[in-house]
Amino acid sequence: MYEGVVQDLIDELGRLPGVGPKSAQRIAFHLLQAEPVDVRRLADVLIEVKARVKFCSVCFNVSEDEQCRICRDERRDPSVLCVVEEYKDVVAIERTREFRGRYHVLGGAISPIDGIGPDQLHVKELMPRLADGTVTEVILATDPNLEGEATATYLTRLLLPMGLRVTRLASGLPVGGDLEYADEVTLGRAFAGRRSAQ
Ligand SMILES: [Zn+2]
């Protein structure tokens, strides 16, 4: 344990994903030794990103404007909608250059243990997007783990009766993992080889 504000810094850093107590300490001491101007720049960008970056009102991707650049891009195919858990997945899929449609970011996955059901996700905002018949295919690109599967199964049951083509990514993604960790080639292949959901 360190004194006062140094320990506060270690505690705050330790709450970040993937940062254990050892790393938190290492980062804290790095910051203590860094030039004040460098630390100020980091602090400024943290405050700025929270102030400026919002979520797209249509798809819930991160965006600096009311609508994200993918929703605004008229060259994107409006007939295919890819449903993902997090905006990080949008980035991962965009990197594959395999997909030219639009997205819908759920904001997580169904996980009863964590008290997350469909109502805690952006499912109700998905429905109006499918109402006018423009979208003909929904690709369920949830993570290849328990929560992702539960979410995809739930959405399949919800969407199939609407007469939409509902597809899932092909197998080959590392099971139990996160979509964002799949390499571009694997993820690209999973996209190209997508199959109809049952
Ligand atoms: Zn958007």
Side-chain angles (χ1 to χ4, degrees):
M1 291 295 271
Y2 294 88
E3 291 216 4
V5 71
V6 176
Q7 187 60 45
D8 291 347
L9 176 60
I10 294 170
D11 290 345
E12 287 303 318
L13 290 168
R15 290 167 59 183
L16 299 174
V19 180
K22 279 232 169 71
S23 303
Q25 230 179 72
R26 203 162 59 233
I27 298 168
F29 286 111
H30 168 81
L31 291 171
L32 288 175
Q33 288 167 5
E35 293 296 327
V37 60
D38 291 334
V39 179
R40 163 68 64 181
R41 201 167 47 235
L42 175 63
D44 286 348
V45 80
L46 286 175
I47 290 164
E48 200 183 336
V49 80
K50 281 312 283 180
R52 277 189 33 198
V53 177
K54 303 181 277 284
F55 293 95
C56 173
S57 63
V58 177
C59 75
F60 300 96
N61 189 11
V62 286
S63 176
E64 287 196 20
D65 297 297
E66 163 77 12
Q67 285 190 20
C68 74
R69 61 175 178 80
I70 294 172
C71 286
R72 289 197 315 259
D73 187 347
E74 303 215 330
R75 292 164 302 177
R76 307 285 302 211
D77 181 355
S79 72
V80 195
L81 196 65
C82 179
V83 177
V84 295
E85 293 180 20
E86 307 281 353
Y87 62 86
K88 294 175 291 192
D89 303 324
V90 173
V91 178
I93 292 166
E94 284 297 287
R95 265 202 309 260
T96 69
R97 297 175 178 275
E98 196 65 50
F99 181 64
R100 294 300 302 159
R102 295 203 169 103
Y103 294 93
H104 190 83
V105 182
L106 292 171
I110 293 174
S111 175
I113 287 174
D114 302 310
I116 301 172
D119 291 347
Q120 278 70 48
L121 306 172
H122 296 300
V123 172
K124 58 183 175 301
E125 292 90 344
L126 173 63
M127 294 304 130
R129 299 188 67 187
L130 307 173
D132 70 357
T134 306
V135 175
T136 55
E137 180 184 355
V138 177
I139 304 171
L140 301 175
T142 50
D143 285 347
N145 55 29
L146 217 60
E147 293 79 15
E149 285 299 316
T151 309
T153 303
Y154 172 82
L155 289 175
T156 301
R157 289 198 189 124
L158 198 64
L159 301 179
L160 276 182
M162 298 173 72
L164 293 155
R165 182 171 182 232
V166 182
T167 53
R168 304 281 310 272
L169 297 189
S171 51
L173 294 170
V175 174
D178 273 6
L179 203 69
E180 48 162 326
Y181 298 136
D183 67 86
E184 287 156 46
V185 177
T186 308
L187 188 53
R189 275 201 203 118
F191 243 88
R194 63 185 185 268
R195 57 193 158 76
S196 291
Q198 309 298 322

